[in-house]
Structure formats: C-alpha cells, structure tokens
Amino acid sequence: MSLNLVWPDFLVERDENRCIQCEVCAKQCANEVHRLDKDTGLMVSDETKCVDCHRCVAMCPTRALKIRVNDLEFKPNANWSGDLIKEIYKQADSGAVLQSGMGNPKPYPVYWDRMVINASQVTNPSIDPLREPMETGVILGRKPPKLEFDKNGRLLTKMPPQIKLDVPIMFSAMSFGSISGNAHEALARAATALGTLYNTGEGGLAREMYKYGPNTIVQVASGRFGVHPEYLNAGAMLEIKIGQGAKPGLGGHLPGAKVGDAVSKARMIPKGSDALSPAPHHDIYSIEDLRQLIYSLKEATDYLKPVSVKIAAVHNSAAIASGIARAGADIIAIDGFRGGTGSAPTRTRDNVGIPVELALASVDQRLREEGIRNEVSLVAAGGIRCSMDVVKAIALGADACYIGTAALVAMGCHLCQTCYTGKCNWGIATQREDLEKRLNPDIAAQRLINMVTGWKHEIDETLGGMGINAIESLKGNRLMLRGVGLNEKELEVLGIKYAGE
Amino acid sequence: MIKEGLTRIPSGCAISGILNRKGERFSGETILTSIEIMHDRANGLGGGFAGYGIYPNFADLYALHIFYDDAGSKDQTDCFIKGHFEVEAEERIPTRKVKEIGKSPLIWRYFMSPKPHKIRESELDEQEYVARCVFTINREYKGAYVFSSGKNMGAFKGVGFPEDIGRFYMIEEYEAYLWTAHGRFPTNTPGWWGGAHPFTLLNWSVVHNGEISSYDANRRFVEMYGYNCTLMTDTEVITYIIDLLVRKHGIPLTEAVNIMAAPFWREIELMDDENRKKYEAIRSVYGSALINGPFSIILGFEGGMMALNDRIKLRPLIAAEKGDNLYVASEEAAIRIVCPSPDRIWSPRGGEPVIGFAEGYK
Amino acid sequence: MKKIYADERWCLGCGLCKVYCRTSHSKTKDIIKAHKLEDPKPVERLHIETGDVMNFALQCRHCDDPKCVQGCITGAMQKDPVTGVVTNEAERCVGCWTCVLVCPFGAIVRDEGKKKIAAKCDLCAQTGEPECVKHCPNNALIYEDRGDGK
C-alpha cells in the first residue's frame, strides 16, 4: 500500500466553548465526518471526508462549527496550483477520469458582472412599479412572419402553439436521478404557483408528476430515457437536449448507485445499472436529422406543443442556432459553460464551452442579420445567478432565462460540487431515502416561490427605472447596457458600448 | 462634435398638425402660427414642417428633397438619381434669408419617376424601388441626404426654431390640405439639418415628442427587414415600424396602432375570447414593435393624419375639430391661436389614436 | 385542543427538538448555559424513535383520560380542565415513578438532577409556543387542533 498523497480539502473548526455535544452534526453528516468520542466526551471530526456542504454548520444549534479551506501551503508557484497537484495525485491513485458536480468554478471572466444597466433621468421618466402596471410576462413559441387582419380588424392568421409565462424565468433541466423526487416535486409545485415551467431533464417523468403537466417541459435527450408517447404528451412543451453547458459534446452519466426503483421506472432501465446517455443522439448526425426528430415529436403530439432545442454554448453557436431555427425548432435554449450538472468530467466542465453572455449576443445578432430572430424564442441558461443577470440577458436578446443552480441553492444547496456521490446532505442530489427526506417539498417549493418572486420585484424596479413597462421592450435593447472593464473585442461581440459613451 | 446617427440624442419637443378633411388646401402660415406659440418647447436646434398636396402640378411624380454639403456631393448623387429615375424637373428649393438661421446646406428638389426598365429589372413594386434608392443614397453618398421622398408632399426642415425655418422656406407660399410641424429641444448640439423632424419615407411623415425607452429593441427589429436606422432617432424608427406594418405587412393603420400601443395584459385578460386571442397574437408576434416610453406622434400620409400617445400618456396631446378641420397639438394654445373656438376640443387617452382622413385621397 | 403531531415523512432524527426542549425547560433559557453550565442539567421531555429511514419524535399525548393522572399518588399530575394540558406539579411530586410505569407511550422521564421529579411535555406552557415545533428544521412537528381531545 502506498502513501496517500491526497490531503483534506477542508478543515473543520469547532468552538469547544459553544459545542454542547448534542451530536446533531454527527447524525446529519452522510459523509460521517463527526462523531462523539466516548472517552473524552467531546465531538471529533475526520476532515478527510468533509466536502464543505455546510449541513453541520447550518444544523448546529449553537453555531459552533466553521469549515475552512485547508490552506496547506506549497512553495509559491504561479503555474502549479495546489488543486492541480492534488488532481494528479488522485489520478495517479485511481487511473480514473476526475469527476465533479455543478458548474465551471474557474476564474474565467463573468460578463454579467462587467455590464451595467441604464436608468432614466430627465429626458424620459422612470416608471414606478408600485403605482403603474409593469409587465414581465413573456410568450414563447414560434411566431409567424407577420399577422393578417380582415377589414374589420379580426385576426386571420392562425398562431402556432405558444406558452405564456408570468415571469421570464423557468427552471432548468435537472433529471430525476441526478436530483431527488422531492426536489422535482418542489420545482413542479413552485413552477405551477409562479406561472412558469420546470424541466424534467433526461430522467423521464414519474406518473405521479403528470398532474403538473401544464407546467412541465418534457425533455428528450440522447439516451431517450423514459420517452414514450404518453410522456411526450404529458408536458406543455418538449425539449430536445443536444448538449449541456457543463459538458458540451458529452452525454449524461448517472451512476448505478443512484438508480433505485423509482429512477429505474421513470427512465425505463434496469435498477442499479449505470445510466449512460450517448454523446450524440444516434439519430442526429447532421442538421437535417434534427429536423426529422423535431417533426417526429410534433407529429407525436399533434403539433399542439412547441418544441425547444437545447444546445451547449460552443464556438459556432450562431451558425448552429440559425440552422436549428430553420430546422423547425420553436425555441432555442443556449446553455453556457457555467451551467451545472450532477456529474461531469472535471476537465470538460472546466475547459469546454463558452460563456452564455457571448453566445447569446452572437446568436441574437446572427438571427437578426438573417431576418429570422422574430420567428423563434431564445432562452439563455448557464450561470444565471440573480435578477440582474436575467435583465442583462434579456437586454442582450433573450426572451427568457433558465435557472438551475440558483433554484437548487434556493432549496438549500451549498455548491459543494459532490453531487455525483449521491450523498447530498441537503436531500437534493441524492436517491437515498434517508437523505431525500431532508428536502421537504412544502418548504422547498415555498423557498423557490419566494426567490423567484423576489427576483420579479427586482426586475419590476429595474424596468421601471429604465422607463420601460413591458419586458418585450427590453428584449435585444442593447443600448440599455454599457460595458465596464471590457476590451474592444468583448464590446463588439456583446454589441454594447462602453460606459460613458 | 459627433454627427447625428453616431450617437443618440434625446430631446423634448413641440408638435402640431392640421388637416382639412375635405382636401381643401390652405397656406402654411396657419401651421407656422400654431407652432410658433410653442416656442419655449424648442431650443432652436431643430424645426420642420410636412405639407401634403403642395405640388398639384407634379402630383404623380416623386418629389425628392435633398440636402447637399457641397456641389461635389450633388454631382455624385445626380449620377445615381439619373441612372434610376426620369427627372422631369430639378431646382433649388426657394428660401429667404432669415437672420436666425445660420449656414444651411444646399437644398434641392427633384420631380421624377422611376425608370420603367429599372423597375422591371429589379422586380420590385414602385414604392419599394423608391425606398431602396433613398436608403442607398443616404447610406452610400456622403454629403447627400434625402429628407423627403413622397408624391405631392414635402418636408421642410433644418436647424433653427420652427417659425424661423418656416419663414426660411417661405412655407406661407405653399398650400396643403395637411400640415404637420415640429420644434426640437435636443440635449446637445447636432448642428445637422438632416436630424430635424419630420422624418419621412415615401408618403409617411412623422413628428414626435418624447424619448422612447424601447428604441434599440425597435431598431434591431426593423433592421431585420431591410431598414437602416442611420439617424438613430426615435422618429426614424417609428416611421420604419409604420412603413413595415402598413406598407409591407399590409396591416390596416388602426391595427398598427394596436401593435405600437398595445393594451396592457390586465385589459387583455378581460376581453372576450376572440379579442383576447387577437391581442395575445399581436403582443407575441409584434412585441418588438411595441413602443415603450413617452411619445406623442403625428403621422402624416397622403390619406390623412393620425395622432397617437403612448399607452400611459406621458406626453401631452390635445385634439380639436371645427367644421372640416381636425387639429392636434402638444398644447391647447397652439390650437386656439389658429382656431379660437373649436366645435369640440378634447384630450385623447393614452393608446387611443386620433385619425382623420382626407376625402378623395384614400 | 392543540397538540403536537409528528410527521414521520419528514423527521430526520436529528435531535434538535431535544436540544430546544431542554433549553425551554432550563433556568437560563440560553442553549449554551443550559447544556454546559446549569446544574442540574435540564432534561428533554420527548424521545425520538429512530430507524434506518423512518424516525419520529414522541412526547406526551395529553390524553383525554390520562393514566398518569389516575395513577399519581400525590395528585401532583393534573389535567387542566380548560386547556387540557397535563402537567406535573414539582412541589408535590415525590418521585415514585408510578406515572412513568403507567404511561402507555413512555412519555414521562425521570428527572434525577436534584430532587426526583417526573418530567413531561407541557406544550411549553409558559410561552404557549412549543419550542420543538418552532425549531424543527423540516416541518416534522406540527402544532394544531385536529379535533381530538378536550
């Protein structure tokens, strides 16, 4: 047996003056970090197992615990960080692909934080959302190139299927299997209460969830898990998942440990088997194949529901999106490299894909240059963290945004990035019954509703501050944004001016 | 100094419009008097007029009004014009010296019709052909700017108070059945004649008071359909939206109003089924044509005039009628000074248009 | 009457209800002092049934016909005729533990800190807001009137 070179990521600090030895931390840590030592009568911690999920910190009734990053120091080296060194040790031990959960944590620029928003001063008035109507509802779906009216003003054009949302925010695809049934229940209830949609992800749909159908997007991913005609007709919208921002070019991976009875039934796969989605859809090898699948799904649902296509943001997203629009998709969702995942190879998550801000700007611009932007809806995803990211995304050209990580955080996630272990202490990214019950859907749904409601009010205030009372007037309105700390090329890709101009 | 079109210049303003519904023409003196009383709404950096029915002898020809920086620009542009049109007449627009008006560009007008074989070659209808020629000149011929391109109508505008501009162009000598006027209060100094209002395209003319907050959303929408918003003004984008909806998409003007000043969702939800579906479709398909922010506009066209406010009426607009005449203006004083006792005078609601048609022209 | 009901779907067996029960019945009402300083230490008046997956917290049911009241030899154990809450009067209790033996739920605990007293859930009568319910992190304890009991 060789020496274990992998040191603990985190240190557990316990204030002995505050600890009352209630053992709540020990009972609540699925990683078995804490225990009561019989001899000393004190709590002790095995920090090698700690993942910094903060469950013990939050549960401790006297706030006696703090988790700190282990600041084990190396000789200063601008090229080799401690993380890189440790990752090599892990691979030298296991020979395996490094795994991670959640989205790209690396310090690439966050363009949301380098754009600022306009407000009206003197030359046109700001609008007070407490006293005037402020409209944040959006309609997603394919639009005809124009409308026709008869001479009495009656509408002659037949509209393709449209989805109305009360807020420009939907819950992103997170599969049943990667997250728990209780988490799905909470998302579905919150979506219903908020007048928006949640997305099944690639895990199929349990029968008990069909009742939330009018607020459900059913996803068809490369593994086709759980896809059958009733499933397709159960939702309000369908989504073909070509890619995901966290792992562009790869398929999904759900470890067999997370495939219990319920997941097995929903996905239509044997219990305990790894659920490996193929990298491409094996019936989509070119754009015309996508057109065929889009229309197959429309046929299967009698052309009653819009079909969305979700792609990861990659280098030629603009051209891809143009192709998707012409292939018959009604909605295009672009997932940037900050998008989350239950499990992805670390190297892919951290190095593949581009920021959604840039992808969104270039896709919106390209579709306008081709004269087709008005015919499809665009949804931005991948690292939408707050209401202002939503405002900026819409100003860049999105119709609406998906939130994934933010929704999980609202439910209690602390971004410890170990979802793939299935030992989520918050009951979110787990299939273990004892852990899943930690997420009470009554509480979680309310937290989601609260968060989105808070965001909506912030959006109201910001729109009013800009002198806008209907969110469609913000869509693509790039002059409402200015860049700060951006170079010429970044400004050009985003299509915005510098602050002061 | 950055030229208009490279930067957005917000402005406050004054507008006025007078229509004779019988199509009887009257002197520009009237509209001049109306706009003059609203002097304080402008700051001398822009004024203009549009008159309909002013060229009865050339009624079937396109009357192009063009600014030239210098003779060289004119020569170059003339090549293009003569290659695409049969020019019946061309002359400098007569003006008089007014001490308040500074240096003006060369101001010419041409009466012309498209060359038939050119139209056939292009496979466009006549109006689209003319529109594209105007866009080409404005985009590619530096030093030339077409500021009016309709039949039997014309815009007269420049840098100065509107009453001074009116005297400069001697508009009292023209007679029209519809006059609109505009005085501008921009917040920096464009100094460029082309930037004043009205903005025109073919027979549309728009004068506008307000600053729309949806500008860039509107601009990026119309630019998909071949329009170039070179001036970066609200008036330009509003004119293009109207041209797109009415001329290109064939939507009746009354429905175009419902698109630009669409009702609120809380009103739509209370409508009957058919209307609800109609307005849902409108807001869905034409959401980017919704004009948000304060505006009051007067649209002139050969068949009449339409005045419209934004849906929460953030700019003033008064309307009045007397006999055959319809008046709209930013202030009641501007109406009363030319019509002291109208039959009816009212303040239109936000989002509700005031439309007047001229007999014999629609 | 309002009683505390456990929802076994959501109980995690974490034990926070016990911590707050002790604090509620302490002298100082301060968590740290109640657990580290006070002598005698306050006792919790509920216990948690734990399993691999299912858990629930159990406390006095404030029965309509309390066996503990019947069995009490000094009359210390009483059911309030108005509120219905069953409480033990410390001064009168002699620590005979009859109530402990007789309670069908095992809900009474022996407080042997100083004087021997039978301790039990009193629905946090001083504040009227049971602390276990207030601090349960997962809505596993509910305080409501379900129409049983007077």
Side-chain angles (χ1 to χ4, degrees):
Chain A
M1 186 201 115
S2 64
L3 201 53
N4 181 5
L5 296 175
V6 177
W7 64 90
D9 286 322
F10 305 104
L11 302 171
V12 178
E13 281 181 11
R14 180 178 276 103
D15 183 344
E16 292 301 344
N17 293 328
R18 301 182 79 109
C19 176
I20 58 173
Q21 289 86 33
C22 65
E23 292 186 78
V24 170
C25 52
K27 291 184 208 159
Q28 288 288 293
C29 180
N31 295 302
E32 298 173 25
V33 170
H34 307 284
R35 65 181 176 84
L36 180 66
D37 185 302
K38 302 264 181 316
D39 301 322
T40 59
L42 296 175
M43 300 299 298
V44 294
S45 308
D46 177 2
E47 63 275 339
T48 61
K49 301 184 188 147
C50 177
V51 297
D52 198 13
C53 75
H54 294 189
R55 181 70 178 177
C56 57
V57 172
M59 293 290 280
C60 175
T62 58
R63 298 182 307 280
L65 287 165
K66 193 193 312 198
I67 313 295
R68 304 187 55 121
V69 172
N70 186 352
D71 52 355
L72 180 66
E73 290 174 10
F74 289 83
K75 183 162 179 178
N77 189 322
N79 196 26
W80 284 92
S81 66
D83 281 342
L84 279 166
I85 295 175
K86 187 186 295 181
E87 283 158 356
I88 291 188
Y89 293 148
K90 285 186 186 167
Q91 290 194 294
D93 284 341
S94 64
V97 169
L98 298 164
Q99 288 290 314
S100 290
M102 304 310 275
N104 186 339
K106 294 291 184 214
Y108 293 99
V110 180
Y111 290 99
W112 302 126
D113 294 338
R114 297 189 186 189
M115 292 189 280
V116 287
I117 298 171
N118 193 28
S120 295
Q121 295 282 275
V122 178
T123 55
N124 77 358
S126 43
I127 298 174
D128 182 352
L130 291 177
R131 298 182 175 92
E132 310 267 3
M134 187 59 64
E135 303 184 309
T136 54
V138 295
I139 305 184
L140 302 181
R142 182 162 277 272
K143 325 270 189 249
K146 62 176 187 178
L147 288 180
E148 288 183 354
F149 300 88
D150 71 14
K151 59 177 166 29
N152 296 318
R154 299 192 22 210
L155 182 66
L156 296 170
T157 315
K158 183 162 187 315
M159 288 291 285
Q162 308 281 296
I163 305 258
K164 278 173 67 178
L165 304 177
D166 287 347
V167 287
I169 300 164
M170 299 186 284
F171 296 125
S172 199
M174 294 181 280
S175 70
F176 172 46
S178 72
I179 61 174
S180 64
N182 282 346
H184 261 234
E185 175 77 28
L187 289 165
R189 283 195 215 168
T192 308
L194 292 165
T196 183
L197 307 177
Y198 89 103
N199 190 314
T200 62
E202 61 179 317
L205 190 64
R207 283 284 148 180
E208 314 81 79
M209 298 295 281
Y210 276 41
K211 61 184 187 270
Y212 299 111
N215 294 83
T216 307
I217 303 169
V218 291
Q219 197 185 70
V220 175
S222 58
R224 303 290 158 87
F225 294 124
V227 176
H228 54 82
E230 273 182 80
Y231 168 76
L232 295 176
N233 281 290
M237 178 164 120
L238 287 79
E239 182 171 86
I240 299 174
K241 175 200 170 190
I242 299 294
Q244 174 181 1
K247 42 187 161 173
L250 306 185
H253 179 105
L254 188 68
K258 274 172 119 172
V259 182
D261 285 323
V263 173
S264 154
K265 203 160 158 218
R267 293 200 179 204
M268 294 154 62
I269 58 174
K271 186 174 161 180
S273 64
D274 286 348
L276 299 168
S277 322
H281 286 246
H282 282 300
D283 56 356
I284 304 179
Y285 288 165
S286 182
I287 188 71
E288 64 272 21
D289 297 341
L290 174 64
R291 186 177 170 83
Q292 186 177 56
L293 181 63
I294 290 172
Y295 281 96
S296 304
L297 295 179
K298 289 188 177 186
E299 287 280 334
T301 53
D302 290 330
Y303 293 84
L304 292 173
K305 302 173 201 276
V307 173
S308 160
V309 174
K310 173 179 171 183
I311 53 168
V314 293
H315 301 315
N316 54 346
S317 290
I320 295 168
S322 169
I324 293 174
R326 295 174 199 283
D330 305 313
I331 297 161
I332 302 172
I334 307 167
D335 198 13
F337 76 164
R338 296 286 187 190
T341 176
S343 165
T346 310
R347 297 300 183 219
T348 306
R349 181 195 68 168
D350 296 351
N351 291 285
V352 183
I354 68 172
V356 69
E357 303 94 306
L358 303 177
L360 171 63
S362 66
V363 166
D364 175 77
Q365 181 59 27
R366 178 70 64 88
L367 294 180
R368 285 180 196 265
E369 281 163 12
E370 298 188 7
I372 56 175
R373 173 67 186 88
N374 204 47
E375 293 171 28
V376 293
S377 298
L378 275 186
V379 180
I384 307 290
R385 311 153 301 165
C386 64
S387 56
M388 292 301 103
D389 291 352
V390 176
V391 169
K392 293 169 190 175
I394 295 176
L396 284 178
D399 286 87
C401 291
Y402 269 136
I403 54 168
T405 305
L408 298 186
V409 172
M411 293 198 280
C413 168
H414 281 67
L415 281 163
C416 73
Q417 302 176 38
T418 59
C419 326
Y420 55 93
T421 63
K423 291 201 273 186
C424 175
N425 273 314
W426 296 93
I428 298 172
T430 179
Q431 298 301 316
R432 267 174 54 173
E433 243 187 295
D434 60 324
L435 298 180
E436 185 177 344
K437 52 167 48 192
R438 295 178 182 191
L439 190 71
N440 182 338
D442 293 331
I443 300 176
Q446 190 58 53
R447 292 177 70 84
L448 286 166
I449 294 167
N450 289 347
M451 180 187 79
V452 177
T453 305
W455 286 23
K456 183 203 177 305
H457 289 314
E458 288 170 343
I459 294 172
D460 286 347
E461 294 281 350
T462 311
L463 286 181
M466 285 191 261
I468 288 178
N469 62 14
I471 202 156
E472 53 259 55
S473 295
L474 180 64
K475 186 170 94 174
N477 194 337
R478 305 265 178 102
L479 279 179
M480 287 303 187
L481 296 174
R482 289 294 188 272
V484 193
L486 293 173
N487 61 39
E488 289 281 348
K489 187 47 89 168
E490 289 166 323
L491 291 171
E492 187 192 314
V493 174
L494 290 167
I496 65 177
K497 295 183 172 185
Y498 207 87
E501 282 190 295
Chain B
M1 180 191 74
I2 304 180
K3 194 169 134 167
E4 188 126 24
L6 296 176
T7 183
R8 286 261 296 151
I9 298 173
S11 46
C13 319
I15 59 178
S16 178
I18 305 175
L19 168 71
N20 182 296
R21 288 175 159 135
K22 282 235 150 46
E24 284 163 13
R25 302 185 303 135
F26 55 98
S27 154
E29 189 66 40
T30 320
I31 191 75
L32 198 148
T33 310
S34 174
I35 197 84
E36 183 164 25
I37 200 170
M38 295 193 283
H39 179 94
D40 287 341
R41 286 183 158 269
N43 69 353
L45 292 177
F49 300 84
Y52 287 76
I54 54 174
Y55 298 130
N57 298 335
F58 297 104
D60 290 322
L61 298 174
Y62 285 92
L64 252 64
H65 292 189
I66 307 187
F67 290 130
Y68 291 115
D69 283 352
D70 50 49
S73 313
K74 178 173 189 305
D75 287 337
Q76 282 184 333
T77 313
D78 277 346
C79 280
F80 177 88
I81 290 177
K82 284 165 185 161
H84 288 79
F85 295 89
E86 300 290 351
V87 179
E88 296 272 336
E90 69 178 83
E91 59 180 359
R92 296 181 76 121
I93 296 183
T95 59
R96 64 155 70 90
K97 278 198 175 10
V98 172
K99 78 168 184 336
E100 291 86 352
I101 302 294
K103 185 171 188 312
S104 73
L106 305 177
I107 314 177
W108 282 75
R109 63 184 169 202
Y110 302 68
F111 295 97
M112 58 200 207
S113 57
K115 284 185 150 58
H117 75 272
K118 281 291 214 183
I119 293 220
R120 266 199 312 276
E121 263 169 38
S122 70
E123 294 182 31
L124 298 170
D125 70 55
E126 191 184 84
Q127 290 189 308
E128 183 65 20
Y129 177 86
V130 174
R132 290 201 194 181
C133 288
V134 170
F135 290 154
T136 304
I137 295 174
N138 289 348
R139 200 177 51 239
E140 290 170 28
Y141 287 79
K142 297 281 165 264
Y145 187 74
V146 179
F147 64 96
S148 192
S149 53
K151 283 185 176 176
N152 197 11
M153 62 79 68
F156 303 94
K157 65 185 193 180
V159 175
F161 281 100
E163 58 272 22
D164 298 328
I165 291 284
R167 289 186 192 107
F168 173 79
Y169 281 104
M170 304 191 291
I171 64 165
E172 73 277 4
E173 296 190 2
Y174 295 87
E175 295 196 325
Y177 59 89
L178 165 63
W179 283 104
T180 64
H182 182 269
R184 201 177 187 206
F185 195 142
T187 48
N188 58 16
T189 53
W192 183 49
W193 284 50
H197 300 199
F199 183 85
T200 70
L201 177 65
L202 301 172
N203 281 3
W204 305 116
S205 68
V206 174
V207 292
H208 160 251
N209 171 210
E211 176 184 302
I212 60 179
S213 45
S214 54
Y215 173 77
D216 216 35
N218 299 139
R219 172 185 73 91
R220 298 181 73 236
F221 171 68
V222 295
E223 283 190 346
M224 282 200 282
Y225 301 99
Y227 298 93
N228 286 119
C229 294
T230 47
L231 291 191
M232 294 189 70
T233 60
D234 296 341
T235 325
E236 178 185 37
V237 83
I238 291 171
T239 310
Y240 289 159
I241 288 177
I242 293 170
D243 187 59
L244 173 70
L245 295 175
V246 179
R247 181 171 68 88
K248 286 200 173 149
H249 285 189
I251 294 174
L253 190 58
T254 40
E255 294 312 319
V257 165
N258 287 331
I259 289 171
M260 296 189 290
F264 286 106
W265 283 115
R266 61 182 189 188
E267 291 164 33
I268 297 176
E269 271 148 34
L270 297 175
M271 295 178 183
D272 60 81
D273 239 20
E274 194 186 330
N275 274 317
R276 197 168 31 82
K277 286 204 174 69
K278 166 180 160 181
Y279 285 100
E280 273 178 18
I282 282 178
R283 289 199 65 173
S284 170
V285 177
Y286 288 116
S288 294
L290 175 71
I291 302 181
N292 218 286
F295 70 85
S296 58
I297 58 173
I298 301 175
L299 168 75
F301 52 101
E302 70 277 17
M305 156 170 96
M306 177 191 81
L308 180 67
N309 260 147
D310 65 270
R311 28 183 219 168
I312 51 177
K313 192 143 180 151
L314 292 168
R315 295 322 295 138
L317 190 70
I318 316 286
E321 286 175 320
K322 187 170 179 75
D324 298 323
N325 284 350
L326 174 65
Y327 301 86
V328 289
S330 299
E331 291 182 15
E332 192 173 326
I335 296 178
R336 288 212 185 258
I337 196 165
V338 293
C339 175
S341 47
D343 298 334
R344 178 160 97 98
I345 187 159
W346 75 102
S347 188
R349 276 185 18 180
E352 263 181 21
V354 175
I355 305 186
F357 293 112
E359 230 175 73
Y361 287 92
K362 186 97 172 88
Chain C
M1 71 176 273
K2 280 169 94 166
K3 294 191 190 178
I4 300 175
Y5 296 93
D7 192 337
E8 71 279 9
R9 294 176 299 169
W10 307 121
C11 178
L12 311 178
C14 68
L16 279 174
C17 46
K18 288 207 247 181
V19 171
Y20 286 98
C21 181
R22 283 179 220 131
T23 310
S24 170
H25 293 92
S26 68
K27 273 209 245 0
T28 57
K29 310 278 188 263
D30 173 287
I31 298 188
I32 295 177
K33 289 187 193 167
H35 286 80
K36 292 171 89 78
L37 201 63
E38 283 186 26
D39 187 28
K41 266 178 85 156
V43 296
E44 71 271 9
R45 289 104 193 280
L46 53 87
H47 72 269
I48 304 176
E49 296 286 344
T50 52
D52 287 334
V53 176
M54 183 150 81
N55 315 284
F56 59 89
L58 182 59
Q59 65 283 99
C60 167
R61 308 314 306 150
H62 300 278
C63 309
D64 291 349
D65 183 21
K67 302 278 176 275
C68 56
V69 171
Q70 277 183 40
C72 179
I73 62 178
T74 63
M77 200 61 90
Q78 298 156 28
K79 185 172 172 76
D80 186 305
V82 174
T83 62
V85 182
V86 177
T87 52
N88 189 28
E89 210 184 305
E91 293 76 40
R92 285 219 220 170
C93 178
V94 295
C96 72
W97 306 142
T98 308
C99 52
V100 174
L101 294 168
V102 116
C103 172
F105 300 101
I108 306 184
V109 301
R110 293 174 292 172
D111 183 354
E112 294 177 280
K114 273 224 163 65
K115 177 184 165 203
K116 289 205 226 171
I117 302 177
K120 61 183 291 307
C121 168
D122 60 355
L123 294 176
C124 287
Q126 297 104 317
T127 56
E129 211 194 334
E131 289 288 296
C132 54
V133 174
K134 190 166 157 194
H135 289 102
C136 173
N138 213 26
N139 278 11
L141 288 171
I142 302 155
Y143 184 49
E144 63 185 8
D145 187 342
R146 289 187 186 175
D148 59 21
K150 319 185 231 306

